[in-house]
Amino acid sequence: MKFFLDTAHMPDIRKAAAVGVADGVTTNPTLVAKEKRDFPTLVGEICSVVDGPVSAEVTADDVEGMVREGRALASIAANVVIKVPFGQVGLQAVRALEREKIHTNVTLVFSPLQALLAARAGASYISPFIGRLDDVGHRGMEVVEQTLEILSNYDLHAQVIVASVRHPLHVLEAALIGAPIVTVPPSVLWKLFDHPLTEAGIARFKADWSGLQETLR
Ligand code: G3P
């Protein structure tokens, strides 16, 4: 399973890239707004640090506008993927962009049938939002499970990005059902490294090692 970082915050992206756990990055208008920076410059900076797919979202309401924004963002770097909100308008933009060999990521997907429609439109990536589904009392991961089954039934090649991840259990569940990609907020990514027994173990090894140095002195 690949780990994408769900953030537009450069310090976290640089840190994850240094640790080797930034296979890609996903952003959205909310995450970008937090950075208070020029969007194209920020996308360029992310792409200079991460070699994998970097999703940048269009905000226009019409097909022509989405395609225009998509082309402009895609011209920033070869690994830019255009994030397009699901819908009748969005899927038309996806078809147009993919015809031009510009990769797309259909976002705000909340059902397996929306995912099927996005895959049929030729999307390269599909992002079901599991945390937001859990928030309203649905089982988000079921959408991922059913989407993976449907895509495999019809040999559709869109890759599922498990998105709206809120905690490490979401990551575990995604891995157990074989999701190809999970996009995680930095706060969740860093938690995956933590285990009290690992920390206690390191402290014990250190203490025993300095004890030995003392003895040999
Ligand atoms: O990439 C967008 C998605 O992951 C949003 O997550 O936490 O705002 O539901 P959240």
Side-chain angles (χ1 to χ4, degrees):
M1 184 170 71
K2 288 184 177 166
F3 287 90
F4 286 12
L5 217 57
D6 197 24
T7 186
H9 192 56
M10 280 313 300
D12 281 316
I13 294 170
R14 286 186 199 285
K15 185 174 162 189
V19 177
V21 283
D23 297 314
V25 168
T26 53
T27 67
N28 62 39
T30 305
L31 294 171
V32 171
K34 283 185 193 160
E35 301 308 308
K36 302 189 184 353
R37 291 188 52 190
D38 173 66
F39 186 34
T41 311
L42 179 57
V43 171
E45 207 172 316
I46 297 172
C47 292
S48 71
V49 173
V50 174
D51 294 333
V54 173
S55 287
E57 191 158 338
V58 294
T59 53
D61 293 322
D62 59 314
V63 180
E64 294 70 28
M66 286 181 181
V67 171
R68 203 170 35 246
E69 279 179 36
R71 283 184 191 134
L73 289 166
S75 73
I76 297 172
N79 54 332
V80 171
V81 169
I82 305 306
K83 216 172 180 189
V84 180
F86 180 86
Q88 295 178 15
V89 172
L91 293 195
Q92 289 178 65
V94 165
R95 282 185 197 280
L97 290 165
E98 292 280 351
R99 257 199 308 271
E100 295 180 22
K101 308 278 180 243
I102 294 174
H103 292 310
T104 59
N105 171 5
V106 175
T107 187
L108 291 167
V109 167
F110 293 97
S111 83
L113 293 177
Q114 288 182 327
L116 173 60
L117 289 165
R120 287 294 319 279
S124 301
Y125 301 92
I126 300 171
S127 296
F129 275 27
I130 58 166
R132 291 192 196 184
L133 279 164
D134 288 358
D135 287 346
V136 295
H138 292 265
R139 293 189 192 282
M141 206 54 77
E142 271 178 17
V143 171
V144 176
E145 220 168 345
Q146 290 173 1
T147 296
L148 292 174
E149 191 175 336
I150 290 169
L151 296 184
S152 140
N153 286 347
Y154 296 105
D155 206 19
L156 292 163
H157 296 296
Q159 291 195 68
V160 173
I161 303 178
V162 178
S164 185
V165 163
R166 299 279 161 75
H167 46 69
L169 259 188
H170 277 152
V171 181
L172 175 64
E173 286 163 8
L176 286 172
I177 62 172
I181 304 164
V182 65
T183 188
V184 287
S187 57
V188 175
L189 180 65
W190 307 132
K191 279 184 193 159
L192 303 180
F193 285 86
D194 296 339
H195 197 290
L197 290 176
T198 304
E199 282 135 36
I202 290 171
R204 176 71 188 271
F205 285 154
K206 273 189 169 193
D208 289 346
W209 193 251
S210 12
L212 172 66
Q213 308 314 306
E214 286 297 315
T215 314
L216 297 179
R217 202 175 277 169

